[in-house]
C-alpha cells in the first residue's frame, strides 16, 4: 500500500521558500508605508505654510504660534506620524519674523528612521540630510 502525504524534507523546503519571500516582502512593504506617511507629513507642511502666507498677508509677519493659524500648539499630521513646529529661519536670531518662517515636521515613533521634513517660506525643503523632498 502506497502512503500519501508530504515528507519532512518537502515540508521544510516549502517553509524555507516562504521564509525567503517574507524576508524580501516585509522590508519593501515597510518602505512603502514610510513613503505614504512621508506624503502625509509633506501635505501637512504645505497646508500650514499656506496658512502662514495668509497670516502674513493680513499681519505683515509670520507666526511661530500655530494656534494663531487655527491649528493645535503641537499640531500633528493626519496620520500622527509627524509633529509640526514653527520657528524663525536661519541662525540669525535678530532676523525679524517678517523675513522667513521655518516649519519642521519631526518624525514620530516608527517613522523616525525616515527622518524629519522641513519647509521654509522661501521654498527651501529638506528631508533628513537631503536638501530636497523625495519625489
Amino acid at each position: 500500500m502506497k502512503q500519501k502525504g508530504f515528507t519532512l524534507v518537502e515540508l521544510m523546503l516549502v517553509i524555507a521558500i516562504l521564509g525567503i519571500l517574507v524576508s524580501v516582502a516585509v522590508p519593501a512593504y515597510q518602505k512603502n508605508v514610510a513613503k505614504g506617511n512621508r506624503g502625509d507629513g509633506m501635505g501637512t507642511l504645505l497646508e500650514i505654510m499656506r496658512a502662514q502666507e495668509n497670516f502674513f498677508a493680513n499681519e505683515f509677519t509670520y507666526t511661530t504660534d500655530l494656534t494663531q493659524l487655527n491649528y493645535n500648539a503641537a499640531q500633528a499630521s493626519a496620520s500622527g506620524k509627524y509633529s509640526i513646529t514653527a520657528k524663525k529661519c536661519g541662525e540669525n536670531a535678530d532676523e525679524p519674523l517678517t523675513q522667513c518662517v521655518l516649519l519642521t515636521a519631526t518624525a514620530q515613533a516608527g517613522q523616525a528612521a525616515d527622518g524629519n521634513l522641513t519647509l521654509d517660506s522661501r521654498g527651501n525643503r529638506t528631508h533628513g540630510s537631503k536638501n530636497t523632498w523625495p519625489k
Side-chain angles (χ1 to χ4, degrees):
M1 181 165 128
K2 184 153 173 130
Q3 294 208 355
K4 298 179 182 178
F6 298 106
T7 66
L8 183 60
V9 171
E10 292 170 331
L11 187 60
M12 294 304 288
L13 184 61
V14 168
I15 291 173
I17 291 171
L18 285 174
I20 292 169
L21 290 174
V22 167
S23 70
V24 170
V26 169
Y29 172 75
Q30 289 172 333
K31 183 178 177 182
N32 283 328
V33 168
K35 185 178 179 181
N37 291 334
R38 188 183 320 127
D40 177 51
M42 291 186 295
T44 303
L45 283 177
L46 290 169
E47 179 185 319
I48 293 174
M49 186 55 73
R50 180 199 48 77
Q52 284 279 12
E53 295 299 341
N54 287 341
F55 186 85
F56 185 86
N58 293 317
E59 305 295 328
F60 303 107
T61 187
Y62 295 106
T63 182
T64 57
D65 182 3
L66 297 182
T67 60
Q68 291 182 319
L69 305 173
N70 296 321
Y71 290 96
N72 296 328
Q75 181 64 34
S77 63
S79 68
K81 300 293 183 180
Y82 289 93
S83 174
I84 313 297
T85 57
K87 67 177 187 175
K88 287 183 181 182
C89 291
E91 298 171 11
N92 185 359
D94 296 330
E95 183 176 291
L97 202 49
T98 58
Q99 300 297 313
C100 182
V101 66
L102 175 69
L103 299 177
T104 302
T106 305
Q108 304 293 308
Q111 192 69 15
D114 190 50
N116 298 338
L117 299 163
T118 66
L119 171 65
D120 70 24
S121 55
R122 296 176 180 149
N124 299 315
R125 303 169 181 204
T126 66
H127 171 240
S129 61
K130 298 177 186 111
N131 288 329
T132 187
W133 284 352
K135 301 210 184 241

